Amino acid sequence: MSAWAEHLGVDHYEAEDEEGRLTLVGDPEGVLTRKLEMELTHPGPLSVGIIGRCKRFAVYAVNGEVKLVRVSEAEDDPAGDENPEETLAPAMLDAILKIKDEL
């Protein structure tokens, strides 16, 4: 994850870095993916050998409590590759701003 963060130019990405605003985490064995029920199980990707892939999703959490989850998927696009917009930063920021008063 550190190589990815460095490639993207993300500073302060470590979980315990108090200056950070973003924590990058890996899930190489799919444990978190399964716990969050975000494993891509659509028969299309499975039929071509894509096993254990995570759905395209974004989570907004505050102090470990999940406040918002968005998933980019459709019947004809189970991986959300064609239309990922709901999980991209602009849509997430808009959604967070809409719920901020409830938090």
Side-chain angles (χ1 to χ4, degrees):
M1 297 309 297
S2 61
W4 188 32
E6 290 168 12
H7 175 75
L8 294 172
V10 176
D11 293 326
H12 309 290
Y13 56 85
E14 296 293 336
E16 300 302 317
D17 189 328
E18 293 184 18
E19 294 183 46
R21 299 282 184 237
L22 176 69
T23 302
L24 300 178
V25 294
D27 187 24
E29 296 172 7
V31 174
L32 180 62
T33 298
R34 288 188 298 278
K35 289 276 188 186
L36 294 174
E37 298 179 358
M38 290 294 168
E39 187 172 5
L40 183 59
T41 58
H42 188 278
L46 291 174
S47 71
V48 293
I50 301 174
I51 299 168
R53 178 175 171 181
C54 184
K55 293 180 182 181
R56 184 180 307 273
F57 74 100
V59 173
Y60 173 63
V62 177
N63 295 323
E65 183 180 342
V66 174
K67 302 291 186 177
L68 178 70
V69 177
R70 293 287 186 257
V71 181
S72 289
E73 65 182 337
E75 187 60 37
D76 62 341
D77 182 23
D81 293 333
E82 298 298 320
N83 188 17
E85 283 76 16
E86 190 167 349
T87 56
L88 299 180
M92 285 298 290
L93 290 172
D94 287 345
I96 291 165
L97 290 173
K98 287 179 184 173
I99 66 165
K100 73 176 185 168
D101 294 332
E102 299 170 17
L103 303 176

